[in-house]
Amino acid sequence: MMDLEFDKNHIWHPYSSLINPPPVYPIAKAEGIRIFLEDGRGLIDGMSSWWSTLHGYNVPELNAAMQSQMEKMSHVMFGGLTHEPAIELCKKLVELTPEPLQKVFLADSGSVSVEVAIKMALQYWQSQGKPEKNRLLALRNGYHGDTFGAMATCDPVNGMHHLFASQLTQHIFAPAPEPKFDQPCSDEDIAELQQLIEQNHPQLAAVILEPIVQGAGGMRFYSPAYLRKVRDLCDQYDLLLIADEIATGFGRSGKMFACEHADICPDILTLGKALTGGTMTMAATLCTDKVANGICTGEAGVFMHGPTFMGNPMACAVANASIELLLQRNWQQQVQKIETQLKKELEPLKSAAGVADVRVLGAIGVVEMKQPVDNRTLQESLIKRGVWLRPFGKLVYTMPPYIIESEDLTHLTRAMTETLSTL
Ligand code: PMP
């Protein structure tokens, strides 16, 4: 048996207390779409381990890629050296993403890739002789990570980071986008953001946003027309657009990248989470030739970032295998099927007393409650029904692995429905 007492007294878990620790469940192994508790019970993973395990767990193709890379070289520094897995991965990323994104920086985690994106934008404007363009415009309800640069771009109220406000760069925040995914975007809907850009553009380096799906800051889906208008405003006022697709990248919203819903291309793009199929930590920041050339012709002449584990060969090799698997397996059909089923099976919750809204996009299903839920009780009840979810605040949501079979998805939505309709 695992030493849960030690865990409870010594180990931080994400956003946890060591005085009043939330329950943590001991997991012995994971296979397909299930994670297995130490006592042998299998739980359907409705979270894809935070958007990452697209193909499920213990995937032979991914294991083989890691195994074979490990036998050649598990790591080598990227300063002054290079290797095939990194070249292959960056080729794939350049091919998969919109054409203007040509340059790739391999980072160690989502938050770091956001730091890199922000530094790229700042260095770009320094090299253009406009160092005063050093602030960002971000959206309320946005979430971009837990490190200091990224924290400063999260929603200042619900972004979980207000405790550090005095240490954070004060950026400018526009209201969260109001028009929903299937709605148009009126002049009024964009008016406040437009006004903020008009007033502040001389000091703005970039707009940063999560395209179409605002994740951890509210699980909100917004109109592609809104995103197009933001792109147009960035062009009009000469601002860079940073799209954070760490959660949405690799098909989750129904398009390979959520920017495709609006048919726009950002100047800088961040990817993470599903990049390695949920096996190893790695992220990437892509940028256009314009941004890269700007940076490299500036005062420093180089881009100022270079972590120890940059371009880790194991992570690159498994990312290559994951992308290949994704492309082989008709992900569009998988995601479409999940979307149709989630819509059908979660829809009835709309009439439940405690439910404020039910929304589905791609392989993401969200039930928003009227009141915050008691996570512990809810999780216990879901676990009894064989399902793993991690609700927060008023949000109970799922983004299952793409390989989930329809019976298992029904099991998952039934557990959600049974548990939530009684609240
Ligand atoms: N951006 C977005 C949109 C995210 O959802 C997350 C992770 N929840 C991050 C950035 C930060 O990524 P990481 O946790 O890998 O640092």
Side-chain angles (χ1 to χ4, degrees), residues 31-104:
E31 180 80 44
I33 59 145
R34 282 184 175 73
I35 51 181
F36 288 89
L37 292 163
E38 199 178 27
D39 64 13
R41 278 179 296 161
L43 306 177
I44 295 176
D45 178 13
M47 299 298 289
S48 294
S49 276
W50 275 333
W51 313 78
S52 67
T53 51
L54 303 183
H55 316 292
Y57 297 90
N58 204 6
V59 183
E61 291 88 339
L62 303 189
N63 290 353
M66 285 187 283
Q67 187 95 41
S68 118
Q69 184 54 45
M70 190 168 66
E71 282 161 15
K72 285 184 218 137
M73 134 181 98
S74 54
H75 185 60
V76 65
M77 64 188 279
F78 213 47
L81 303 174
T82 194
H83 47 79
E84 189 56 30
I87 296 173
E88 195 187 325
L89 176 60
C90 294
K91 259 191 203 165
K92 282 193 167 70
L93 295 178
V94 166
E95 268 165 33
L96 276 180
T97 54
E99 215 269 330
L101 296 165
Q102 287 291 322
K103 311 290 197 230
V104 190

Side-chain angles (χ1 to χ4, degrees), residues 109-111 114 143-145 210 244 246-247 273:
S109 72
S111 299
V114 171
Y143 178 82
H144 299 286
E210 297 154 276
D244 176 349
I246 288 165
K273 291 189 185 281

